Amino acid sequence: MSYTVKETRIFLHPAADLLAHAGALVGELGGKRPRKPPGDGAVHAEFNKAVGREVFGNRVQLIVRAADDGAGRGALSLEAYPVDPVGRPLAFGVIGDPARLVADAFWARLATRLAPAAT
């Protein structure tokens, strides 16, 4: 059984804007960005057993990548998986579905952030 969540969603926003939103969102949700970013143009964050106010039993690594489709739209690809305290992916001993909780919280907060303002 794989504990990894991989999803891609298309938005009517450029990839650079989506990646900027993703970077801000991981901080709002309680994720910690690495001190030295990997330099691959993606947003990396680790959630230490909580996302927002939702608590779970394992740490989760989140990686978000963005790409433009050439028509002014951007795609965000998300990968989330549980990790041990050293940062290695877990293959067993995972409590619940923490990667799904992180992914769902990220998509929900992003949808709220990108929604048009009510007037």
Side-chain angles (χ1 to χ4, degrees), residues 38-83:
D40 59 358
V43 173
H44 294 253
E46 185 174 307
F47 290 84
N48 191 8
K49 300 183 180 184
V51 59
R53 294 186 179 189
E54 185 79 27
V55 179
F56 43 85
N58 297 97
R59 292 169 175 82
V60 173
Q61 178 72 37
L62 175 71
I63 302 168
V64 181
R65 295 178 177 84
D68 277 319
D69 73 349
R73 295 181 306 200
L76 275 185
S77 297
L78 173 145
E79 181 178 4
Y81 52 90
V83 294

Side-chain angles (χ1 to χ4, degrees), residues 1-2 12 19 31 48 55 68 74 85 88-90 94 102-103 111-112 117 119:
M1 175 179 173
S2 175
L12 298 174
L19 207 55
N48 191 8
V55 179
D68 277 319
R88 296 178 301 221
L90 289 175
V94 176
V102 170
T112 301
T119 56

